[in-house]
Amino acid sequence: MKFFDSPEMRETLHRLLRSQMALKGIDYNGLSRRLAMMGVTQTATNLRSKINHGTLGAQLFIFIQFALGIDKLDTDSIRSIYRDVERDLDASATVEPSHSSKAMVDEAPSPQISEVEH
């Protein structure tokens, strides 16, 4: 079985869930408690990791929606976030690193070989 993984979708999930949590005023501890009341055991640290990396399964995503009181998923908004992420990732990939961020390597001068006359 081939697993599909998309950096853009991981970042989209991260942004979506963080914005939903912020709008509801719920932190990771609160989300963990709400999930526990539904029989879903996830520590705040575990949730933080999964949400920040956008690596949570569909079931946990749906339970989080329930725990946050989200009644409807707005796929147009999700699509908009996804497009923003694509633009952000494309822009960051095309930016040349500045000289200050490049590693500077001091090279020793190569020895000069001169011809010796006999």
Side-chain angles (χ1 to χ4, degrees), residues 39-77:
V40 178
T41 305
Q42 294 285 319
T43 66
T45 303
N46 194 24
L47 287 168
R48 181 179 291 109
S49 177
K50 289 179 178 184
I51 290 172
N52 285 341
H53 294 109
T55 55
L56 55 146
Q59 290 183 32
L60 181 56
F61 176 78
I62 297 299
F63 276 115
I64 289 171
Q65 297 302 293
F66 293 161
L68 293 174
I70 306 295
D71 294 326
K72 295 182 182 182
L73 284 177
D74 181 1
T75 56
D76 288 336
S77 293

